[in-house]
Amino acid sequence: MMTPRRPIFKAIWSFALLAMATTPAAAAAAPALADAAGSYRIASSSTVQFSVPQTGGGGGIAGKFAKFSGGFRIDGGNIERSSVEFTLYPESVRSSERRIEDFLRSSAVFDTANYQTVTFRSTSVTQTGAGSATVVGTLTARGKARKERFEVTLTDWNKRSIAFTIRGSIRRAPYGMDVGTPIYSNVVEFDMNIRGQKR
């Protein structure tokens, strides 16, 4: 006499229904740029970190900026019409040691006595995924302006606030900050976690 299989089939069917119900919800939870349309002010809870690797290994130089400002606008109808404006204040640079901070503020690097800000203004935004984009714009530091590129990924959005990770690699020599090369890399790696509050 065969053992009834109805309980087994019922369990399998219930599991399948659960999987179908939860998978779309998980996918829908991923934020998309188009959904987050609006104008935002960059919040002070953001973090702007950078590092300059030491050639051949070693500790390199790492730091962050304590003061910054700016905003951005996401065009939900056409992401490419979005825009970003960002200002860093080099005098607020922080590092592991006071002597490194003083060196970064000196005329060899940011020259904060003569240049109080570093600015970025976007010129193009190219969507690379539902929640990601490449932002190209003009970076101005020490009176020199150059085109730079940053990769942006949307990580959180709740109708009133938004969060991104932003990565970029910038050559420092064109801005007159090539002191220490080749012992230290000519490339500065930026690693930013930017939060915005809707205006």
Side-chain angles (χ1 to χ4, degrees), residues 3 6 15 17 40 66 77 114 118-119 158 168 190-192 199:
T3 302
R6 186 179 299 276
F15 180 78
L17 288 175
Y40 297 84
N114 295 300
V118 173
T119 61
N158 65 6
F190 276 90
D191 182 355
M192 297 177 270
R199 290 173 171 168

Side-chain angles (χ1 to χ4, degrees), residues 79-155:
I79 296 299
E80 295 187 358
R81 289 202 298 258
S82 303
S83 59
V84 180
E85 293 188 359
F86 195 71
T87 300
L88 295 174
Y89 300 88
E91 184 65 33
S92 73
V93 71
R94 299 289 184 268
S95 190
S96 58
E97 298 179 37
R98 179 60 183 270
R99 64 179 183 84
I100 297 176
E101 294 175 0
D102 291 342
F103 172 69
L104 292 171
R105 296 185 185 108
S106 74
S107 59
V109 187
F110 290 116
D111 192 8
T112 60
N114 295 300
Y115 302 99
Q116 285 77 47
T117 62
V118 173
T119 61
F120 177 80
R121 302 288 183 272
S122 65
T123 54
S124 70
V125 177
T126 303
Q127 189 166 8
T128 56
S132 61
T134 297
V135 178
V136 176
T138 302
L139 181 71
T140 303
R142 289 176 53 117
K144 299 175 175 61
R146 287 178 55 85
K147 181 186 292 186
E148 301 292 355
R149 178 189 307 269
F150 294 91
E151 301 301 325
V152 178
T153 302
L154 178 60
T155 58

